[in-house]
C-alpha cells in the first residue's frame, strides 16, 4: 500500500535516513497538501501483483497548482510506501 503525496508547489525535505529516493519534493506548506492532510484525505493505493496501479484522475479545476523547481505551474506527486517509509521519485504534471 502506498500513500499518494500531492501538492501544487515543490519544495525539499531531506529523507535520506530512510530508504528510497532520499527526499520529499513537496512544499510542506502547500495549501492543497495541507488541506488533504488536515482532512485525512490523502489517497492510498494498492499496487497489483506486478507493481502497477492505473486510474483516470481529474486534477482540481481551481488554483491549487503551484510553482515547480523551474517556475512552471502544475502539480507534484510522490508515493510513500507505508510498509518501509520508502519515497518514490517525484513527478510533475504541468498546468496548461
Amino acid at each position: 500500500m502506498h500513500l499518494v503525496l500531492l501538492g501544487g508547489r515543490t519544495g525539499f525535505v531531506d529523507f535520506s535516513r530512510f530508504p528510497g529516493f532520499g527526499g520529499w519534493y513537496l512544499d510542506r506548506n502547500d495549501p492543497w497538501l495541507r488541506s488533504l492532510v488536515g482532512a485525512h484525505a490523502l489517497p492510498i493505493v494498492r499496487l497489483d501483483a506486478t507493481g502497477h496501479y492505473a486510474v483516470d484522475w481529474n486534477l482540481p479545476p481551481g488554483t491549487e497548482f503551484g510553482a515547480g523547481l523551474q517556475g512552471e505551474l502544475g502539480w507534484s506527486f510522490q508515493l510513500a510506501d507505508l510498509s518501509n517509509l520508502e519515497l518514490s521519485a517525484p513527478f510533475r504534471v504541468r498546468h496548461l
Side-chain angles (χ1 to χ4, degrees):
M1 291 183 30
H2 291 78
L3 183 65
V4 181
L5 303 167
L6 49 148
R9 299 186 308 226
T10 57
F12 181 77
V13 176
D14 182 18
F15 215 71
S16 58
R17 68 181 182 272
F18 296 104
F21 198 72
W24 184 17
Y25 284 83
L26 297 172
D27 182 349
R28 290 181 283 190
N29 296 315
D30 180 80
W32 190 29
L33 176 64
R34 290 179 64 84
S35 68
L36 290 171
V37 169
H40 303 286
L42 284 170
I44 295 177
V45 298
R46 187 179 304 255
L47 305 180
D48 66 16
T50 63
H52 291 90
Y53 176 82
V55 65
D56 289 333
W57 195 7
N58 293 321
L59 292 171
T63 58
E64 289 86 359
F65 55 83
L69 293 174
Q70 297 176 340
E72 78 284 357
L73 296 177
W75 297 268
S76 294
F77 297 85
Q78 210 166 355
L79 294 178
D81 185 327
L82 296 176
S83 63
N84 63 6
L85 296 179
E86 183 176 4
L87 284 173
S88 73
F91 62 96
R92 184 95 177 138
V93 176
R94 285 185 161 176
H95 172 70
L96 299 176

